[in-house]
Coordinates of all heavy atoms in Angstrom, one line a residue:
I1 N 0.9 -1.2 0.0 CA 0.0 0.0 0.0 C 0.9 1.2 0.0 O 1.8 1.3 0.8 CB -0.9 0.0 1.2 CG1 -1.9 -1.1 1.2 CG2 -1.7 1.3 1.3 CD1 -2.7 -1.3 2.4
E2 N 0.6 2.1 -0.9 CA 1.4 3.4 -1.0 C 0.7 4.4 -0.2 O -0.3 5.0 -0.6 CB 1.5 3.8 -2.5 CG 2.2 5.1 -2.7 CD 3.6 5.1 -2.1 OE1 4.4 4.2 -2.4 OE2 3.9 6.1 -1.4
L3 N 1.1 4.7 1.0 CA 0.5 5.6 1.9 C 0.6 7.1 1.5 O -0.1 7.9 2.0 CB 1.0 5.4 3.3 CG 0.6 4.1 3.9 CD1 1.2 3.9 5.3 CD2 -0.9 3.8 4.0
A4 N 1.6 7.4 0.6 CA 1.7 8.7 0.1 C 0.7 9.1 -1.0 O 0.6 10.2 -1.4 CB 3.1 8.9 -0.4
D5 N 0.0 8.1 -1.4 CA -1.0 8.3 -2.5 C -2.2 9.2 -1.9 O -2.9 8.8 -1.0 CB -1.6 6.9 -2.9 CG -2.6 7.1 -4.0 OD1 -3.1 8.2 -4.3 OD2 -3.0 6.0 -4.6
P6 N -2.4 10.4 -2.5 CA -3.4 11.3 -2.0 C -4.8 10.6 -1.9 O -5.6 10.9 -1.0 CB -3.4 12.4 -2.9 CG -2.0 12.4 -3.5 CD -1.6 11.0 -3.6
L7 N -5.1 9.8 -2.9 CA -6.5 9.2 -2.9 C -6.7 8.2 -1.7 O -7.7 8.1 -1.2 CB -6.8 8.5 -4.2 CG -6.9 9.4 -5.4 CD1 -7.2 8.7 -6.7 CD2 -8.0 10.5 -5.1
K8 N -5.6 7.5 -1.3 CA -5.7 6.6 -0.2 C -5.8 7.5 1.1 O -6.6 7.1 2.0 CB -4.5 5.7 -0.1 CG -4.5 4.7 -1.2 CD -3.5 3.6 -1.0 CE -3.6 2.5 -2.0 NZ -3.6 2.9 -3.4
V9 N -5.1 8.6 1.2 CA -5.3 9.5 2.3 C -6.7 10.0 2.4 O -7.3 10.0 3.5 CB -4.2 10.6 2.2 CG1 -4.5 11.7 3.3 CG2 -2.8 10.1 2.4
L10 N -7.2 10.4 1.3 CA -8.6 10.9 1.2 C -9.6 9.8 1.8 O -10.5 10.2 2.6 CB -9.0 11.2 -0.3 CG -10.4 11.7 -0.6 CD1 -10.6 13.1 0.1 CD2 -10.6 11.8 -2.1
Q11 N -9.4 8.6 1.5 CA -10.3 7.5 2.0 C -10.2 7.4 3.5 O -11.1 6.9 4.1 CB -9.9 6.2 1.3 CG -10.2 6.2 -0.2 CD -11.7 6.3 -0.5 OE1 -12.5 5.7 0.1 NE2 -12.0 7.1 -1.5
L12 N -9.1 7.7 4.1 CA -8.9 7.6 5.5 C -9.5 8.7 6.3 O -9.7 8.5 7.5 CB -7.4 7.6 5.8 CG -6.6 6.4 5.4 CD1 -5.1 6.6 5.6 CD2 -7.0 5.1 6.2
L13 N -9.8 9.8 5.7 CA -10.2 11.0 6.5 C -11.4 10.8 7.4 O -11.3 11.2 8.6 CB -10.5 12.2 5.5 CG -9.2 12.7 4.8 CD1 -9.6 13.9 3.9 CD2 -8.1 13.0 5.7
P14 N -12.5 10.2 7.0 CA -13.6 10.0 8.0 C -13.2 9.1 9.1 O -13.6 9.3 10.3 CB -14.8 9.5 7.1 CG -14.5 9.9 5.7 CD -13.0 9.9 5.6
A15 N -12.5 8.1 8.8 CA -12.1 7.1 9.9 C -11.1 7.8 10.9 O -11.3 7.7 12.1 CB -11.4 5.9 9.3
I16 N -10.2 8.6 10.4 CA -9.3 9.3 11.3 C -10.1 10.4 12.1 O -9.8 10.6 13.3 CB -8.2 10.0 10.5 CG1 -7.3 9.0 9.7 CG2 -7.3 10.9 11.4 CD1 -6.5 8.1 10.6
A17 N -11.1 11.0 11.5 CA -11.9 12.0 12.2 C -12.6 11.3 13.3 O -12.7 11.8 14.4 CB -12.9 12.6 11.2
R18 N -13.1 10.1 13.1 CA -13.8 9.3 14.2 C -12.8 9.0 15.3 O -13.2 9.1 16.5 CB -14.5 8.1 13.7 CG -15.7 8.4 12.9 CD -16.6 7.2 12.8 NE -17.7 7.4 12.0 CZ -18.9 8.0 12.4 NH1 -19.0 8.4 13.6 NH2 -19.9 8.2 11.5
L19 N -11.6 8.6 15.0 CA -10.6 8.4 16.0 C -10.3 9.6 16.8 O -10.1 9.6 18.0 CB -9.3 7.9 15.3 CG -9.3 6.4 14.8 CD1 -8.0 6.1 14.0 CD2 -9.4 5.5 16.0
L20 N -10.2 10.8 16.1 CA -9.9 12.0 16.8 C -11.1 12.4 17.8 O -10.8 12.8 18.9 CB -9.7 13.2 15.8 CG -8.4 13.1 15.0 CD1 -8.5 14.1 13.9 CD2 -7.3 13.4 16.0
I21 N -12.3 12.1 17.4 CA -13.4 12.3 18.3 C -13.3 11.4 19.5 O -13.4 11.8 20.7 CB -14.8 12.0 17.6 CG1 -15.0 13.1 16.5 CG2 -15.9 12.0 18.6 CD1 -16.1 12.7 15.6
D22 N -12.9 10.1 19.3 CA -12.8 9.2 20.4 C -11.6 9.6 21.3 O -11.6 9.3 22.5 CB -12.5 7.8 19.9 CG -13.7 7.2 19.2 OD1 -14.9 7.7 19.4 OD2 -13.6 6.1 18.5
L23 N -10.6 10.3 20.8 CA -9.5 10.7 21.6 C -9.7 12.1 22.2 O -8.8 12.6 22.9 CB -8.2 10.8 20.7 CG -7.7 9.5 20.2 CD1 -6.6 9.7 19.1 CD2 -7.1 8.6 21.3
G24 N -10.9 12.6 22.0 CA -11.3 13.9 22.7 C -10.8 15.1 21.9 O -10.7 16.2 22.5
N25 N -10.7 15.0 20.6 CA -10.2 16.1 19.8 C -11.2 16.4 18.6 O -10.8 16.4 17.5 CB -8.8 15.8 19.2 CG -7.8 15.7 20.3 OD1 -7.7 16.6 21.2 ND2 -7.1 14.6 20.3
P26 N -12.5 16.6 18.9 CA -13.5 16.8 17.9 C -13.2 18.0 17.0 O -13.6 18.0 15.8 CB -14.8 16.9 18.6 CG -14.4 17.4 20.0 CD -13.1 16.8 20.2
E27 N -12.5 19.0 17.5 CA -12.2 20.2 16.7 C -11.3 19.9 15.6 O -11.2 20.6 14.6 CB -11.7 21.3 17.6 CG -10.3 21.1 18.2 CD -10.2 20.1 19.3 OE1 -11.2 19.7 19.9 OE2 -9.1 19.7 19.6
Q28 N -10.5 18.9 15.7 CA -9.6 18.5 14.6 C -10.3 17.5 13.6 O -9.8 17.3 12.5 CB -8.4 17.8 15.2 CG -7.5 18.7 16.0 CD -6.3 18.0 16.6 OE1 -6.4 16.8 17.0 NE2 -5.2 18.7 16.7
A29 N -11.4 17.0 14.0 CA -12.1 16.0 13.2 C -12.9 16.7 12.0 O -12.9 16.2 10.9 CB -13.1 15.2 14.0
A30 N -13.5 17.8 12.4 CA -14.4 18.5 11.4 C -13.7 18.9 10.1 O -14.2 18.7 9.0 CB -15.1 19.7 12.1
P31 N -12.5 19.5 10.2 CA -11.8 19.9 9.0 C -11.5 18.7 8.1 O -11.5 18.9 6.8 CB -10.6 20.7 9.4 CG -10.9 21.1 10.8 CD -11.8 20.1 11.4
L32 N -11.2 17.6 8.7 CA -10.9 16.4 7.9 C -12.1 16.0 7.1 O -12.0 15.6 5.9 CB -10.4 15.3 8.7 CG -9.0 15.5 9.5 CD1 -8.7 14.3 10.3 CD2 -7.9 15.9 8.5
C33 N -13.2 16.0 7.8 CA -14.5 15.6 7.1 C -14.9 16.6 6.0 O -15.3 16.2 4.9 CB -15.6 15.5 8.1 SG -15.4 14.1 9.2
A34 N -14.6 17.9 6.3 CA -14.9 18.9 5.3 C -14.1 18.7 4.0 O -14.6 18.8 2.9 CB -14.7 20.3 5.8
C35 N -12.8 18.3 4.2 CA -11.9 18.0 3.1 C -12.5 16.9 2.3 O -12.5 16.9 1.1 CB -10.5 17.8 3.7 SG -9.3 17.6 2.4
A36 N -12.8 15.8 3.0 CA -13.4 14.6 2.3 C -14.7 14.9 1.6 O -14.9 14.5 0.5 CB -13.6 13.5 3.3
L37 N -15.5 15.8 2.2 CA -16.7 16.1 1.6 C -16.6 17.0 0.3 O -17.3 16.8 -0.7 CB -17.6 16.9 2.6 CG -19.0 17.2 2.3 CD1 -19.8 15.9 2.2 CD2 -19.6 18.1 3.4
N38 N -15.6 17.8 0.3 CA -15.4 18.8 -0.8 C -14.4 18.4 -1.9 O -14.3 19.0 -2.9 CB -15.0 20.2 -0.2 CG -16.1 20.8 0.6 OD1 -17.3 20.7 0.2 ND2 -15.8 21.3 1.7
H39 N -13.6 17.4 -1.6 CA -12.5 17.0 -2.5 C -13.1 16.6 -3.9 O -14.1 15.8 -3.9 CB -11.7 15.9 -2.0 CG -10.4 15.7 -2.7 ND1 -10.3 15.0 -3.9 CD2 -9.1 16.2 -2.4 CE1 -9.0 15.0 -4.3 NE2 -8.3 15.7 -3.4
P40 N -12.6 17.0 -5.0 CA -13.2 16.7 -6.3 C -13.2 15.2 -6.6 O -14.0 14.7 -7.4 CB -12.4 17.5 -7.3 CG -11.2 17.9 -6.6 CD -11.5 17.9 -5.1
Q41 N -12.3 14.4 -6.0 CA -12.2 13.0 -6.3 C -12.9 12.1 -5.2 O -12.8 10.9 -5.2 CB -10.8 12.6 -6.5 CG -10.2 13.2 -7.7 CD -8.7 12.7 -7.9 OE1 -7.9 13.0 -7.1 NE2 -8.5 12.0 -9.0
S42 N -13.6 12.8 -4.3 CA -14.4 12.1 -3.3 C -15.6 11.4 -3.9 O -16.4 12.0 -4.6 CB -14.8 13.1 -2.2 OG -15.4 12.4 -1.2
Q43 N -15.8 10.1 -3.6 CA -16.9 9.4 -4.1 C -18.1 9.5 -3.1 O -17.9 9.9 -2.0 CB -16.5 7.9 -4.3 CG -15.4 7.8 -5.4 CD -14.9 6.3 -5.5 OE1 -15.3 5.5 -4.8 NE2 -14.1 6.1 -6.5
A44 N -19.2 9.0 -3.6 CA -20.5 9.2 -2.8 C -20.4 8.5 -1.4 O -20.8 9.1 -0.4 CB -21.6 8.6 -3.6
N45 N -19.8 7.3 -1.3 CA -19.7 6.7 0.0 C -18.8 7.4 1.0 O -19.1 7.4 2.2 CB -19.3 5.2 -0.2 CG -17.9 5.0 -0.8 OD1 -17.4 5.9 -1.5 ND2 -17.3 3.9 -0.5
L46 N -17.8 8.0 0.4 CA -16.9 8.8 1.3 C -17.5 10.1 1.8 O -17.4 10.5 2.9 CB -15.6 9.1 0.5 CG -14.5 9.8 1.3 CD1 -14.0 9.0 2.5 CD2 -13.3 10.2 0.4
R47 N -18.2 10.8 0.8 CA -19.0 12.0 1.2 C -20.0 11.6 2.3 O -20.2 12.4 3.2 CB -19.6 12.6 0.0 CG -18.5 13.3 -0.9 CD -19.2 14.2 -2.0 NE -20.2 13.5 -2.8 CZ -19.9 12.8 -3.9 NH1 -18.6 12.7 -4.3 NH2 -20.8 12.2 -4.6
K48 N -20.7 10.5 2.1 CA -21.7 10.1 3.1 C -21.1 9.9 4.5 O -21.6 10.3 5.5 CB -22.4 8.8 2.6 CG -23.5 8.3 3.6 CD -24.1 7.0 3.0 CE -25.2 6.5 3.9 NZ -24.8 5.6 4.9
A49 N -19.9 9.2 4.5 CA -19.3 9.0 5.8 C -18.8 10.3 6.4 O -19.0 10.5 7.7 CB -18.1 8.0 5.6
A50 N -18.3 11.2 5.6 CA -17.9 12.5 6.2 C -19.1 13.3 6.7 O -19.0 13.9 7.8 CB -17.2 13.3 5.1
R51 N -20.2 13.3 6.0 CA -21.4 14.0 6.4 C -21.9 13.4 7.8 O -22.3 14.1 8.7 CB -22.6 13.8 5.4 CG -22.5 14.8 4.3 CD -23.8 14.8 3.5 NE -23.5 15.5 2.2 CZ -23.2 14.9 1.1 NH1 -23.1 13.6 1.0 NH2 -23.0 15.6 0.0
E52 N -21.8 12.1 7.9 CA -22.3 11.4 9.1 C -21.5 11.9 10.3 O -22.0 12.2 11.4 CB -22.2 9.9 9.0 CG -23.3 9.3 8.1 CD -23.1 7.9 7.8 OE1 -22.1 7.3 8.3 OE2 -24.0 7.3 7.1
V53 N -20.2 12.0 10.2 CA -19.3 12.5 11.2 C -19.6 14.0 11.6 O -19.7 14.4 12.7 CB -17.8 12.3 10.9 CG1 -16.9 12.9 12.0 CG2 -17.5 10.8 10.8
L54 N -19.8 14.8 10.5 CA -20.1 16.2 10.7 C -21.4 16.4 11.5 O -21.6 17.2 12.4 CB -20.1 16.9 9.4 CG -18.7 17.2 8.8 CD1 -18.9 17.7 7.4 CD2 -17.9 18.1 9.6
V55 N -22.4 15.6 11.1 CA -23.7 15.6 11.8 C -23.6 15.2 13.2 O -24.1 15.9 14.1 CB -24.8 14.8 11.0 CG1 -26.0 14.6 11.9 CG2 -25.1 15.4 9.7
E56 N -22.8 14.2 13.5 CA -22.5 13.7 14.8 C -21.9 14.8 15.7 O -22.2 15.0 16.8 CB -21.6 12.5 14.8 CG -21.2 11.9 16.1 CD -20.3 10.7 16.0 OE1 -20.3 10.0 15.0 OE2 -19.4 10.6 16.9
L57 N -21.0 15.6 15.0 CA -20.4 16.7 15.7 C -21.3 18.0 15.8 O -20.9 18.9 16.5 CB -19.1 17.1 14.9 CG -18.0 16.2 15.0 CD1 -16.9 16.5 14.0 CD2 -17.4 16.1 16.4
G58 N -22.4 17.9 15.2 CA -23.3 19.1 15.2 C -22.8 20.2 14.3 O -23.2 21.4 14.6
V59 N -22.0 19.9 13.3 CA -21.5 21.0 12.4 C -22.5 21.2 11.3 O -23.0 20.3 10.7 CB -20.1 20.5 11.9 CG1 -19.6 21.5 10.9 CG2 -19.1 20.4 13.0
A60 N -22.7 22.5 11.0 CA -23.5 22.9 9.9 C -22.8 22.5 8.6 O -21.7 23.0 8.3 CB -23.9 24.3 9.9
I61 N -23.5 21.7 7.8 CA -22.9 21.2 6.5 C -23.1 22.3 5.4 O -22.2 22.6 4.7 CB -23.4 19.9 6.1 CG1 -22.9 18.8 7.2 CG2 -22.9 19.5 4.7 CD1 -23.5 17.5 7.0
D62 N -24.3 22.8 5.4 CA -24.7 23.8 4.3 C -25.4 24.9 5.0 O -26.4 24.7 5.7 CB -25.5 23.2 3.2 CG -24.8 22.1 2.4 OD1 -23.7 22.4 1.9 OD2 -25.4 21.0 2.3
Q63 N -24.9 26.1 4.8 CA -25.6 27.3 5.3 C -26.0 28.1 4.1 O -25.4 28.1 3.1 CB -24.7 28.1 6.2 CG -24.3 27.4 7.5 CD -23.3 28.2 8.3 OE1 -22.9 29.3 7.9 NE2 -23.0 27.8 9.5
P64 N -27.1 28.8 4.3 CA -27.6 29.6 3.1 C -26.6 30.6 2.6 O -26.6 30.8 1.4 CB -28.8 30.4 3.7 CG -29.2 29.6 4.9 CD -28.0 28.9 5.4
T65 N -25.7 31.0 3.4 CA -24.7 32.0 2.9 C -23.5 31.3 2.2 O -22.7 32.0 1.6 CB -24.1 32.8 4.1 OG1 -23.5 31.9 5.0 CG2 -25.2 33.6 4.8
G66 N -23.5 30.0 2.3 CA -22.3 29.3 1.7 C -21.1 29.4 2.6 O -20.0 29.0 2.1
Q67 N -21.2 29.8 3.8 CA -20.0 30.0 4.6 C -19.8 28.8 5.6 O -19.0 28.9 6.5 CB -20.1 31.3 5.4 CG -20.2 32.6 4.6 CD -19.0 32.7 3.7 OE1 -17.9 32.6 4.1 NE2 -19.2 32.9 2.4
G68 N -20.6 27.8 5.5 CA -20.5 26.6 6.4 C -19.2 25.9 6.2 O -18.5 26.1 5.2
L69 N -18.9 25.0 7.1 CA -17.6 24.3 7.0 C -17.5 23.5 5.7 O -16.5 23.4 5.1 CB -17.6 23.3 8.2 CG -16.3 22.4 8.3 CD1 -15.1 23.3 8.5 CD2 -16.4 21.5 9.5
A70 N -18.6 23.0 5.2 CA -18.6 22.2 4.0 C -18.3 23.1 2.8 O -17.9 22.6 1.7 CB -19.9 21.4 3.8
A71 N -18.5 24.4 2.9 CA -18.2 25.3 1.8 C -16.7 25.6 1.7 O -16.3 26.2 0.7 CB -19.0 26.5 1.9
Q72 N -16.0 25.4 2.7 CA -14.6 25.7 2.8 C -13.8 24.8 1.8 O -14.0 23.7 1.7 CB -14.0 25.6 4.2 CG -14.6 26.5 5.2 CD -14.0 26.3 6.5 OE1 -13.0 25.6 6.7 NE2 -14.6 26.9 7.5
E73 N -12.8 25.4 1.2 CA -11.8 24.6 0.5 C -10.6 24.3 1.3 O -10.0 25.2 1.8 CB -11.4 25.3 -0.8 CG -12.5 25.4 -1.8 CD -12.0 25.9 -3.2 OE1 -10.8 25.7 -3.5 OE2 -12.8 26.4 -3.9
L74 N -10.4 23.0 1.6 CA -9.3 22.7 2.5 C -8.3 21.8 1.7 O -8.6 21.1 0.8 CB -9.9 21.9 3.6 CG -10.9 22.6 4.5 CD1 -11.7 21.6 5.4 CD2 -10.3 23.7 5.2
T75 N -7.1 21.9 2.2 CA -6.0 21.2 1.5 C -6.0 19.7 2.1 O -6.1 19.5 3.3 CB -4.6 21.8 1.9 OG1 -4.7 23.2 1.4 CG2 -3.5 21.1 1.2
L76 N -5.8 18.8 1.2 CA -5.7 17.4 1.6 C -4.5 17.2 2.4 O -3.4 17.5 2.0 CB -5.7 16.5 0.3 CG -5.8 15.0 0.5 CD1 -7.1 14.6 1.1 CD2 -5.6 14.3 -0.8
P77 N -4.6 16.6 3.6 CA -3.4 16.4 4.5 C -2.6 15.2 3.9 O -3.0 14.4 3.1 CB -4.0 16.1 5.8 CG -5.4 15.5 5.5 CD -5.8 16.2 4.3
T78 N -1.4 15.1 4.4 CA -0.5 14.0 4.1 C -0.8 12.9 5.1 O -1.3 13.1 6.2 CB 1.0 14.4 4.2 OG1 1.3 14.7 5.5 CG2 1.3 15.5 3.2
F79 N -0.4 11.7 4.8 CA -0.5 10.6 5.7 C 0.3 10.9 7.0 O -0.2 10.7 8.1 CB 0.0 9.3 5.1 CG -0.1 8.1 6.0 CD1 -1.4 7.5 6.2 CD2 1.0 7.6 6.7 CE1 -1.5 6.5 7.1 CE2 0.8 6.5 7.5 CZ -0.4 6.0 7.8
Q80 N 1.5 11.4 6.8 CA 2.3 11.8 8.0 C 1.6 12.8 8.9 O 1.6 12.6 10.1 CB 3.7 12.3 7.6 CG 4.6 12.6 8.7 CD 4.9 11.4 9.5 OE1 5.1 10.3 9.0 NE2 5.0 11.5 10.8
S81 N 1.0 13.8 8.3 CA 0.3 14.8 9.2 C -0.9 14.1 9.9 O -1.2 14.5 11.0 CB -0.1 16.0 8.4 OG -1.2 15.6 7.5
L82 N -1.6 13.1 9.3 CA -2.6 12.5 10.0 C -2.1 11.6 11.2 O -2.7 11.6 12.2 CB -3.4 11.5 9.0 CG -4.2 12.2 7.9 CD1 -4.8 11.1 7.0 CD2 -5.3 13.1 8.5
V83 N -1.0 11.0 11.0 CA -0.4 10.2 12.1 C 0.0 11.2 13.2 O -0.2 10.9 14.4 CB 0.9 9.4 11.6 CG1 1.6 8.9 12.7 CG2 0.4 8.4 10.6
E84 N 0.5 12.3 12.9 CA 0.9 13.3 13.9 C -0.3 13.8 14.7 O -0.3 14.0 15.9 CB 1.6 14.5 13.3 CG 3.0 14.1 12.8 CD 3.7 15.1 12.0 OE1 3.1 16.2 11.8 OE2 4.8 14.8 11.4
L85 N -1.5 13.9 14.0 CA -2.7 14.4 14.7 C -3.1 13.4 15.7 O -3.7 13.7 16.8 CB -3.9 14.5 13.7 CG -4.0 15.8 12.9 CD1 -5.2 15.7 11.9 CD2 -4.2 17.0 13.8
L86 N -2.9 12.1 15.5 CA -3.3 11.0 16.4 C -2.3 10.9 17.6 O -2.6 10.3 18.6 CB -3.4 9.7 15.7 CG -4.5 9.6 14.6 CD1 -4.4 8.4 13.8 CD2 -5.9 9.8 15.3
G87 N -1.2 11.6 17.4 CA -0.2 11.7 18.5 C 0.4 10.4 18.8 O 0.9 10.0 19.8

């Protein structure tokens, strides 16, 4: 498995977000889900998983002004940065 592959990292984002919630760091989980939700190569099942985590966190996915978390454009993290988030 090539962990430097951005698409593999993309697939990990909702799962890492759930781990961050379990570790008591929900504020770090939401941006990962927003990235998964908005990435142009994100597939329907991945977007669904990201939405579920955001709903669990109580984060507004879509706001009428377009300023919600899901409207943000976020940079895809590296595998190494995800490992660092988990400490």
Side-chain angles (χ1 to χ4, degrees):
I1 295 175
E2 178 56 50
L3 296 176
D5 180 350
L7 293 180
K8 288 189 176 54
V9 170
L10 180 64
Q11 295 295 317
L12 291 172
L13 295 181
I16 297 292
R18 287 200 183 275
L19 285 172
L20 288 167
I21 292 167
D22 290 346
L23 292 170
N25 298 309
E27 69 284 347
Q28 294 177 326
L32 296 181
C33 290
C35 187
L37 192 62
N38 294 318
H39 195 279
Q41 293 180 298
S42 182
Q43 297 177 352
N45 63 334
L46 183 63
R47 289 191 305 272
K48 180 179 182 272
R51 278 190 193 96
E52 289 171 356
V53 175
L54 288 171
V55 167
E56 180 182 327
L57 289 169
V59 174
I61 296 173
D62 294 308
Q63 294 179 353
T65 62
Q67 299 301 312
L69 183 61
Q72 295 179 14
E73 289 194 24
L74 302 168
T75 303
L76 187 63
T78 64
F79 181 76
Q80 183 61 38
S81 68
L82 292 176
V83 170
E84 290 169 6
L85 276 177
L86 295 172

